[in-house]
Amino acid sequence: MSEMLPRDGAPPLDEYVPSQARVLETRELAPGIRHFILEFVDPGLNKAFSFCSGQFLQVSLLGIGEAPISICSPPTKSDTFELCVREAGNLTRALHRLRPGDTLWVRGPYGQGFPLAEMAGRDLVFVGGGIGLAPLRSAIDCAVCLNEEFGELTVLYGARNPENLLFTDEYDSWRQQGRVEVIVDEAPPEWQGRTGMITALFDVVELKPANTSVLICGPPVMFSFVLGRLKELGFEDKDIFISLERHMRCGVGKCEHCVVESFYTCRQGPVLSIDQIRGISSALR
Ligand SMILES: Cc1cc2nc3c(=O)[nH]c(=O)nc-3n(C[C@H](O)[C@H](O)[C@H](O)COP(=O)(O)OP(=O)(O)OC[C@H]3O[C@@H](n4cnc5c(N)ncnc54)[C@H](O)[C@@H]3O)c2cc1C
Ligand code: FES
């Protein structure tokens, strides 16, 4: 198995102390959503930084705030890391104003990512909704880069409308390694793609549940529909991994903001298998 696929979440650079990072490039991906390419100001940290797809950073601006943001670049890419940020409140609004050369602070990486090392040899299906494609993009790019480690790759992606589809310029490179199927809730008449619910995409691809792992990230409203369809197709809970979003503060299991019944989303998640959260009814809300 490739050493590029860590089995566990990599240890943070420093559990509590943020490091300064500089914006190298930023662009608007969709209305209200920006993509950032960053590097650590301390060049030694760029080499020391390692993470798993699905892990997150606590991103902050002094005097404004801090929030968890998933890393959207693959762990196979060194020297820089990338974030995709939706404008939601004070911090993310301020992040959107940053331009190349500006700096922000990050601590992490935190949490458990997608266990790609354990998925070696299997087909992978990525199911993304809206900005949920961001952490999945890290895993997709990683699987594309290490394609000999995996079977077939299938990306199923849904967004509100065509304008909101993220990373559209990358689908062709993903298609060289597998399938990419896209659907939108609503579209103008000139849209030539599919319209409807993301579950409709399961009707246009052929999957082999016994040898396939599923990676899901999207709005909670999507989960029950997608999980229902996966069940009908014969997927087992242990092969389905979902990234959960919870309000967080510390990111390191101390403040209890992210607690869902018996688990800490920041430490034991954000990625959990359906097996792990079986019986915890509030986990998927
Ligand atoms: C593990 C994890 C990974 C994330 N990855 C990303 C990412 O890659 N890109 C991205 O843009 N956002 C991501 N988020 C969400 C992001 O952390 C929140 O949108 C964050 O609160 C924005 O901070 P703010 O100060 O700008 O807005 P705030 O003022 O904190 O919040 C704005 C609005 O969002 C609501 N909100 C805050 N936190 C959450 C939450 N965790 N879940 C649902 N609603 C919330 C608030 O109630 C409020 O209505 C992630 C969250 C988690 C837990
Ligand atoms: S965010 Fe503080 S315990 Fe999880």
Side-chain angles (χ1 to χ4, degrees), residues 54-71:
Q55 283 193 298
F56 65 93
L57 294 170
Q58 287 289 43
V59 177
S60 59
L61 287 171
L62 295 181
I64 299 180
E66 185 178 56
I69 303 288
S70 305
I71 304 164

Side-chain angles (χ1 to χ4, degrees), residues 67-70 84-86 88-92 131 245-248:
I69 303 288
S70 305
C84 176
V85 179
R86 184 175 63 90
N90 277 348
L91 173 70
T92 46
I131 197 171
E245 257 201 30
R246 283 295 179 277
H247 287 259
M248 290 188 188

Side-chain angles (χ1 to χ4, degrees), residues 14 57 59 70 73 80 86 90 92 99 113 122 131 137 159 181 191 195 224 227 232 236 252 261 265 271:
D14 184 301
L57 294 170
V59 177
S70 305
S73 50
T80 60
R86 184 175 63 90
N90 277 348
T92 46
R99 289 296 173 263
R122 295 171 64 81
I131 197 171
R137 174 193 182 241
E181 301 294 343
W191 170 248
T195 311
S224 62
L227 292 175
E232 283 168 14
E236 289 187 48
V252 294
E261 292 187 27
T265 314
V271 175

